[in-house]
């Protein structure tokens, strides 16, 4: 399998994850409080595992571009609030104004996360295009050396 094919496969996987996230969000809008809590717990646990993996990747690949991306992923994940704790704190709120402010903050956080995801996709596209170009150029030089 060429690296180009691997990039295509990873982009396909990413597209499927986005579709699954969209479906989960649409379904969540109709779920009960208990179902939402369960969904949030599963999503938070997945994110926590991702943070651990990102930290491991960052420590293993401390040098070079891969290490920089792994560190960026670990830093971004570390900045993500603990949604389960927010949810528990929210359930103790009795004041409608406080709840409305909390909802606005959560919506803003979600919008920021989507902006970050958009930025990450644009960066991934640029990095993949650069990798494809670098491989094509290297293959051209190798072919010329072997001629």
């Amino acid at each position: 399998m060429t690296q180009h094919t691997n990039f295509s496969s990873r982009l396909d996987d990413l597209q499927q994850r986005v579709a699954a996230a969209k479906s989960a969000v649409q379904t969540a809008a109709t779920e009960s409080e208990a179902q939402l809590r369960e969904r949030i717990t599963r999503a938070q646990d997945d994110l926590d595992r991702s943070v651990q993996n990102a930290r491991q990747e960052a420590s293993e690949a401390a040098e070079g571009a891969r290490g920089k991306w792994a560190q960026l992923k670990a830093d971004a994940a570390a900045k993500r609030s603990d949604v389960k704790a927010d949810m528990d704190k929210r359930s103790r709120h009795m004041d409608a104004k406080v709840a409305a402010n909390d909802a606005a903050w959560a919506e803003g956080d979600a919008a920021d996360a989507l902006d970050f995801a958009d930025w990450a996709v644009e960066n991934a596209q640029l990095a993949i295009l650069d990798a494809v170009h670098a491989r094509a150029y290297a293959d051209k030089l190798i072919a010329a050396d072997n001629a």
Side-chain angles (χ1 to χ4, degrees):
M1 176 188 325
T2 67
Q3 190 67 31
H4 175 70
T5 303
N6 187 37
F7 291 144
S8 293
S9 175
R10 292 192 62 193
L11 287 168
D12 288 343
D13 291 345
L14 181 59
Q15 186 174 20
Q16 290 174 357
R17 290 180 61 197
V18 169
K22 182 178 180 181
S23 176
V25 168
Q26 290 170 334
T27 301
T30 64
E31 291 180 328
S32 69
E33 171 77 11
Q35 289 170 314
L36 279 171
R37 283 182 171 277
E38 183 180 325
R39 183 181 294 278
I40 288 170
T41 297
R42 283 193 315 265
Q44 182 77 53
D45 291 346
D46 290 345
L47 181 61
D48 291 346
R49 277 190 296 280
S50 180
V51 169
Q52 291 173 341
N53 292 339
R55 287 184 180 139
Q56 182 67 30
E57 288 174 16
S59 66
E60 290 174 359
E63 298 293 322
R66 184 159 175 79
K68 291 175 188 175
W69 282 109
Q71 187 60 51
L72 176 65
K73 182 179 172 184
D75 291 346
K79 286 178 178 33
R80 179 68 197 115
S81 66
D82 185 336
V83 175
K84 288 189 294 189
D86 291 346
M87 185 175 53
D88 290 340
K89 180 178 68 175
R90 189 175 302 130
S91 68
R92 292 189 297 268
H93 289 292
M94 298 305 226
D95 183 291
K97 186 174 182 179
V98 172
N101 287 340
D102 185 53
W105 179 87
E107 290 163 347
D109 193 42
D112 289 345
L114 286 170
D115 289 344
F116 182 79
D118 185 51
W119 174 85
V121 168
E122 289 175 0
N123 276 276
Q125 177 183 348
L126 181 59
I128 292 168
L129 292 172
D130 182 48
V132 169
H133 176 264
R135 175 55 52 204
Y137 185 70
D139 289 349
K140 178 181 169 184
L141 292 179
I142 291 167
D145 284 349
N146 292 333

